[in-house]
Amino acid sequence: MKLLKPILFFVYLFPFITACGQGHNKAFTREDSLRGKITPEREWWDLKYYELRVKVSPPEKAIAGSTTVFYEVLKPYQTIQIDLQPPLQIEKVTQDGQELSFKKDGSNAYMISLKKAQVKGKNESIVVTYSGKPIVAKRPPWDGGFQWVKDKAGNDFVATSCQGLGSSAWWPCKDHMYDECDSMLISITVPKNLTDISNGRLRKTTENADGTKTFDWFVKNPINNYGVNVNIGNYVHFDEIFEGEKGKLTMDYYVLPENLEKAKEQFKQAGMMMKAFEHWFGPYPFYEDGYKLVEVPYLGMEHQSSVTYGNGYKNGYLGRDLSGTGWGLKWDFIIIHESGHEWFANNITYKDVADMWIHESFTNYSESLYTEYYFGKKAASEYVIGTRKGIRNDIPIIGSYDVNKSGSGDMYPKGGNMLHTIRQILNNDDKWRQILRGLNKTFYHQTVTTQQIEDYLSKNVGRDLNKVFDQYLRDVKIPVLEYSVEKNKISYRWNNCVEGFDMPVKVTVDAGKEEFIYPTTTWKTIKGKSELKADENFYITTKLVSK
């Protein structure tokens, strides 16, 4: 059973575990590049706005609709790439009412030939009409798509989840994370006895003559593709107002009727979450769109302003504590973790999925910060240290660029412990909080690279952290602080590390006072008689050796 918990940690937390073990050895194909690269057919235009209109037919497990893609021309080019995954098919594309020709390149990329000359600085649009039966989610949210189930009363209960798989699994779009639309209309038509909950704010509801109902949702802020979602069910609603740093924030909750009373109790943690995370990270990034927590038939996902929930109204992760310390049972994992992504994933978004650690490492660490806010710093440290049991050190955390390939699932617990270690290097909790808030202010509503985040942290910590990032993000070895004792002298150095590793570490010598030492890969000495003990908050190991 001791081996089971680390394995479970990845199976439940990491959406792409089935592939991550091959991430640095796989022979990539053109199909991978069409999905993961900023191709010439993508780079020449800047996405501005989507108008997505979809009719969902649960009895047929089918959808039909259109995406109007509004864009600005960055440089002249006459071919535009739009992505849509089979078995869905694009039926027609028009620009200014003229039908356009297109051809498929690989399975998912449609190369559309534009008749109208594309002039730099001009704003244009195309309308992409499509239909079919979308990919059915096999194990959502890890192996996602459309999920078609029934609730206990026999009503249709439908949801989407597509992180990693890509939003082109259910609607035509520019399916690459680097370019977000500035705003978006999501118009979903469903049978009239059901309700759709999507992102942003509900603008209007229309009852149609064919026995359906259309829900128009508007997202005022930039949104990444996988953050867009559809949740269809026999929902009941309750709400509250959170008095936040930017004023009044609407917090809306949508659940199945039989779970209303449980939800009213469990979802009290949403307001607690918001208070803690505004303290640590700054204002909730989407006041204009509100915050929603929506019950779904799968575990949950960080859909922007429409966080989905399926944790069974239990604390912990489906009732378990992933840290093994007891602190993880003090709060609902899905409410806390998925909502933490509003700051790290939805506000600050990676440009390339290879840098997915930016989403998951910070959000993993947000669990510890939530614990600290309500239960104290010692509890928080115990929690994050406890999650180390889930670290595999199998492949690097950073994946392969330009091919839609993320790295190791270690981006969760190892990434969280890396950030916890950097906090110890800084040794200033007030400044650490300002760094986290500053990240969300500096990169507000932006897509970013690992290098940008590394540079920001190094600058604001006041130390070059390049070797720290190389060690924990790009390598699988955990640094060993070796020491030896002779007479009244203790020698120490780093081993099992990247070349040039020079991370400072807090230690006690002979059970004395804590102090910082500054090891490198060559031996240094300090006065001492018997023992060098490192602060356990640093994610390292310590070993007594003979020189």
Side-chain angles (χ1 to χ4, degrees):
M1 290 300 292
K2 288 184 179 179
L3 294 176
L4 185 60
K5 287 185 179 179
I7 294 171
L8 284 176
F9 193 99
F10 288 91
V11 170
Y12 287 117
L13 278 182
F14 189 44
F16 322 119
I17 187 64
T18 54
C20 76
Q22 306 168 18
H24 291 256
N25 299 314
K26 176 182 174 182
F28 294 108
T29 66
R30 175 167 174 75
E31 196 81 60
D32 297 316
S33 295
L34 286 168
R35 176 72 173 85
K37 188 178 179 62
I38 304 173
T39 61
E41 292 78 19
R42 284 174 171 153
E43 68 175 352
W44 67 271
W45 55 285
D46 178 32
L47 176 62
K48 293 297 185 182
Y49 177 71
Y50 283 126
E51 189 174 286
L52 174 62
R53 299 184 180 276
V54 184
K55 183 176 183 179
V56 180
S57 302
E60 292 81 27
K61 298 182 180 179
I63 61 177
S66 66
T67 305
T68 305
V69 183
F70 294 81
Y71 63 92
E72 179 185 349
V73 179
L74 301 179
K75 62 181 181 181
Y77 206 80
Q78 293 302 124
T79 306
I80 187 169
Q81 178 179 340
I82 296 294
D83 305 294
L84 185 67
Q85 297 180 34
L88 295 173
Q89 291 187 332
I90 291 178
E91 298 170 348
K92 183 173 69 172
V93 184
T94 61
Q95 184 166 59
D96 297 342
Q98 280 194 307
E99 192 163 340
L100 305 177
S101 63
F102 55 84
K103 62 180 180 180
K104 289 186 73 173
D105 191 343
S107 298
N108 309 326
Y110 286 77
M111 300 301 179
I112 301 162
S113 299
L114 302 171
K115 296 179 180 178
K116 181 180 182 181
Q118 304 295 296
V119 179
K120 182 179 178 179
K122 292 287 187 178
N123 289 298
E124 304 287 357
S125 66
I126 59 172
V127 181
V128 183
T129 305
Y130 76 109
S131 66
K133 294 185 176 183
I135 293 169
V136 175
K138 295 181 179 68
R139 193 167 63 95
W142 304 280
D143 193 350
F146 251 85
Q147 189 176 9
W148 312 89
V149 299
K150 302 278 188 180
D151 65 18
K152 290 180 179 179
N155 299 298
D156 287 300
F157 195 20
V158 181
T160 59
S161 56
C162 58
Q163 185 180 17
L165 175 64
S167 53
S168 58
W170 67 276
W171 58 285
C173 60
K174 187 180 196 177
D175 204 358
H176 194 291
M177 297 290 285
Y178 87 100
D179 192 8
E180 297 180 344
C181 61
D182 299 332
S183 57
M184 182 172 184
L185 174 71
I186 306 166
S187 180
I188 307 298
T189 299
V190 300
K192 67 179 180 180
N193 64 313
L194 300 174
T195 299
D196 170 67
I197 309 299
S198 291
N199 315 77
R201 295 193 183 277
L202 185 63
R203 278 192 162 178
K204 68 175 182 177
T205 304
T206 305
E207 293 194 15
N208 305 309
D210 63 354
T212 62
K213 190 182 292 185
T214 300
F215 296 83
D216 284 356
W217 297 88
F218 185 75
V219 182
K220 193 171 183 178
N221 292 291
I223 185 170
N224 64 58
N225 286 338
Y226 83 82
V228 179
N229 70 343
V230 165
N231 307 291
I232 300 166
N234 180 35
Y235 286 116
V236 293
H237 168 251
F238 64 103
D239 61 7
E240 63 178 319
I241 298 294
F242 176 77
E243 298 288 347
E245 291 193 13
K246 289 178 68 175
K248 295 183 184 296
L249 173 64
T250 57
M251 300 185 69
D252 291 277
Y253 310 111
Y254 296 88
V255 300
L256 298 182
E258 64 265 28
N259 294 324
L260 179 59
E261 295 308 314
K262 287 189 289 187
K264 284 182 176 179
E265 182 61 31
Q266 192 74 359
F267 287 6
K268 288 177 181 177
Q269 294 184 45
M272 296 174 65
M273 169 279 301
M274 197 64 69
K275 185 177 181 181
F277 287 168
E278 284 210 335
H279 169 83
W280 284 110
F281 304 141
Y284 174 70
F286 309 106
Y287 268 72
E288 300 87 349
D289 293 323
Y291 170 90
K292 294 188 290 295
L293 196 56
V294 187
E295 183 175 356
V296 290
Y298 62 89
L299 185 61
M301 180 57 70
E302 66 259 26
H303 302 113
Q304 183 174 311
S305 75
S306 180
V307 174
T308 49
Y309 177 87
N311 200 38
Y313 301 96
K314 300 174 183 178
N315 279 358
Y317 183 97
L318 294 172
R320 297 188 301 278
D321 175 12
L322 295 177
S323 75
T325 64
W327 294 115
L329 294 177
K330 300 291 186 182
W331 38 268
D332 188 310
F333 180 92
I334 292 300
I335 294 175
I336 305 310
H337 179 92
E338 303 304 343
S339 298
H341 277 305
E342 294 282 40
W343 286 264
F344 293 97
N346 298 337
N347 184 38
I348 303 173
T349 308
Y350 58 68
K351 287 183 184 290
D352 191 299
V353 72
D355 292 335
M356 189 177 172
W357 77 272
I358 297 168
H359 293 199
E360 300 302 347
S361 298
F362 281 97
T363 306
N364 174 276
Y365 196 51
S366 78
E367 300 158 23
S368 175
L369 296 175
Y370 178 89
T371 304
E372 180 170 341
Y373 189 84
Y374 288 104
F375 303 103
K377 189 173 179 179
K378 182 175 183 292
S381 293
E382 289 174 359
Y383 177 83
V384 70
I385 291 169
T387 65
R388 291 175 188 172
K389 65 171 61 69
I391 299 174
R392 289 183 169 182
N393 288 313
D394 52 355
I395 60 172
I397 286 175
I398 290 182
S400 301
Y401 290 98
D402 294 332
V403 287
N404 195 46
K405 178 57 66 176
S406 53
S408 172
D410 281 353
M411 69 179 74
Y412 291 81
K414 184 178 177 181
N417 273 279
M418 177 191 72
L419 294 172
H420 190 59
T421 297
I422 292 172
R423 179 181 181 178
Q424 312 314 309
I425 297 170
L426 177 62
N427 200 33
N428 184 327
D429 290 344
D430 289 338
K431 189 173 182 180
W432 180 244
R433 177 183 167 221
Q434 293 309 313
I435 286 172
L436 296 174
R437 292 173 65 93
L439 275 166
N440 278 280
K441 184 177 180 180
T442 301
F443 301 110
Y444 183 72
H445 291 176
Q446 291 183 33
T447 60
V448 300
T449 64
T450 283
Q451 194 62 54
Q452 287 176 281
I453 301 301
E454 287 186 17
D455 289 347
Y456 181 90
L457 288 173
S458 287
K459 177 182 177 182
N460 287 276
V461 168
R463 181 179 180 85
D464 184 355
L465 298 172
N466 177 58
K467 294 300 180 180
V468 175
F469 291 118
D470 284 349
Q471 185 71 54
Y472 292 104
L473 296 178
R474 300 178 179 89
D475 204 289
V476 298
K477 299 187 295 289
I478 298 306
V480 177
L481 179 61
E482 293 184 339
Y483 74 96
S484 68
V485 181
E486 51 182 332
K487 296 181 180 180
N488 293 322
K489 183 177 69 174
I490 294 178
S491 300
Y492 60 88
R493 70 173 182 183
W494 286 121
N495 200 358
N496 197 48
C497 57
V498 298
E499 185 177 355
F501 188 67
D502 60 351
M503 184 178 78
V505 61
K506 189 184 293 184
V507 299
T508 56
V509 179
D510 298 339
K513 291 183 179 180
E514 285 189 326
E515 59 181 297
F516 270 97
I517 59 173
Y518 298 85
T520 64
T521 52
T522 58
W523 290 102
K524 294 184 176 182
T525 60
I526 192 172
K527 289 182 179 180
K529 297 180 179 180
S530 61
E531 184 184 36
L532 188 70
K533 185 178 181 180
D535 183 342
E536 66 178 353
N537 288 290
F538 288 78
Y539 181 41
I540 63 170
T541 60
T542 307
K543 184 179 180 181
L544 176 63
V545 298
S546 297
K547 286 182 65 176

